[in-house]
Amino acid sequence: MTLVDDALREALDGPVTAVTTTAARAAIDLADPLAPAEPTHAQRALLARSVLRRAELSARRAPGSTGEEKLLPVPDELADLLPFGGLQRGTAVVVDGSTSLLLALLSEASRTGAWTAMVGFPRLGVLAAAEAGIDLARVALVPSPGPDAAAAVAALLDGIDVVVVGPQAALTDADRRRLTSRARERGNLLVAAQPWAGAHVVLTVREGTWSGTDHGAGYLRRRRLTVQRSGRAGASRGIERQVELPLRGGAVKNPRQVEKTPPGLRLVG
């Protein structure tokens, strides 16, 4: 690894807003030790683009995932909900009515190496995400982006495979259009848990029933959901499916192990 790569890694470990300034300064120092203390606007712009490109390529080198792949895998039980049997890069997908379904939908992509960012999910249960099959070592959390939600999502789309926009991310319709275009240009996946005009696939949970109790005793263990699909192009033909959560192969075998050894999550913002 080069010193520039080390500087990039250090910058990526910090807040998103520090990526361009820290890494760009390091790159300037290495390229020209006699450069002025403050880089010019042209230098900052050029090096920022280079750094973000490096971040994008680094994120896509995860095992089982390359920039050339068009589809991110999903669990077999959910493949019928999607027009191509997987999550198509460069598109926007809405999951409305169930955070559990959203986590289950992303679990296989996360397990096989995709990086995921969660923006605007202040009440997201980390243990619930782990039980759904999400690899917490490759998750970035931005629970409360405030008025900078659009900028945070845009920056994450430059280098993260899957960016999830939660209900607490305040966006305008114009923001959503720009972010959809950005996801298409970068080849990454945008998943929304809020209304999203122009989404390619919309999965809406209409109703759900619980099971597990017996005459008032026991625990609620499983939930059966009725999910309707709508959207554009391949998803324009509406369908309805029954989904039972948690998925048979997605649950953590020993949830207590997750509590005892929490992974090193990064909290951004």
Side-chain angles (χ1 to χ4, degrees):
M1 300 296 288
T2 67
L3 292 177
V4 174
D5 291 325
D6 291 337
L8 174 60
R9 187 187 305 108
E10 178 183 355
L12 288 173
D13 285 343
V16 172
T17 54
V19 172
T20 56
T21 55
T22 303
R25 183 63 256 171
I28 290 172
D29 290 341
L30 291 170
D32 184 2
L34 299 180
E38 290 298 325
T40 66
H41 177 76
Q43 286 175 317
R44 285 198 300 268
L46 178 62
L47 291 168
R49 286 194 293 270
S50 174
V51 168
L52 289 174
R53 178 59 178 166
R54 282 171 175 262
E56 180 182 9
L57 292 175
S58 176
R60 291 185 180 181
R61 290 190 191 114
S65 175
T66 66
E68 288 74 27
E69 291 178 348
K70 297 298 184 183
L71 293 178
L72 293 169
V74 299
D76 291 341
E77 300 94 324
L78 302 179
D80 286 348
L81 289 172
L82 302 167
F84 300 103
L87 294 164
Q88 191 174 14
R89 287 180 176 272
T91 66
V93 175
V94 171
V95 180
D96 180 25
S98 174
T99 301
S100 297
L101 177 61
L102 186 153
L103 294 173
L105 191 68
L106 301 180
S107 61
E108 186 67 12
S110 177
R111 187 188 67 80
T112 55
W115 280 80
T116 304
M118 302 277 189
V119 184
F121 268 104
R123 297 184 180 179
L124 178 70
V126 176
L127 180 59
E131 289 177 339
I134 300 294
D135 184 351
L136 299 183
R138 285 190 288 269
V139 174
L141 301 178
V142 188
S144 301
D148 298 323
V153 174
L156 290 165
L157 282 171
D158 284 332
I160 301 293
D161 296 290
V162 182
V163 179
V164 183
V165 182
Q168 299 303 312
L171 300 171
T172 66
D173 288 341
D175 291 333
R176 295 184 182 93
R177 287 192 295 271
R178 284 192 293 268
L179 293 171
T180 301
S181 297
R182 197 179 192 92
R184 181 174 62 252
E185 293 168 0
R186 299 298 190 267
N188 290 330
L189 177 68
L190 183 62
V191 180
Q194 58 173 260
W196 201 277
H200 299 79
V201 177
V202 178
L203 302 180
T204 304
V205 176
R206 293 301 183 191
E207 59 183 16
T209 58
W210 288 93
S211 62
T213 59
D214 182 17
H215 301 291
Y219 296 94
L220 296 174
R221 298 183 182 278
R222 304 190 66 78
R223 190 182 186 197
R224 181 179 293 274
L225 303 176
T226 300
V227 183
Q228 291 184 349
R229 187 194 76 189
S230 59
R232 301 162 47 193
S236 60
R237 183 176 63 86
I239 63 172
E240 183 174 292
R241 294 287 186 271
Q242 298 291 318
V243 175
E244 191 170 275
L245 298 176
L247 301 177
R248 295 294 181 181
V252 173
K253 294 182 179 179
N254 183 8
R256 294 182 180 179
Q257 185 68 22
V258 177
E259 294 177 334
K260 291 180 181 179
T261 57
L265 292 178
R266 297 190 186 95
L267 185 64
V268 182

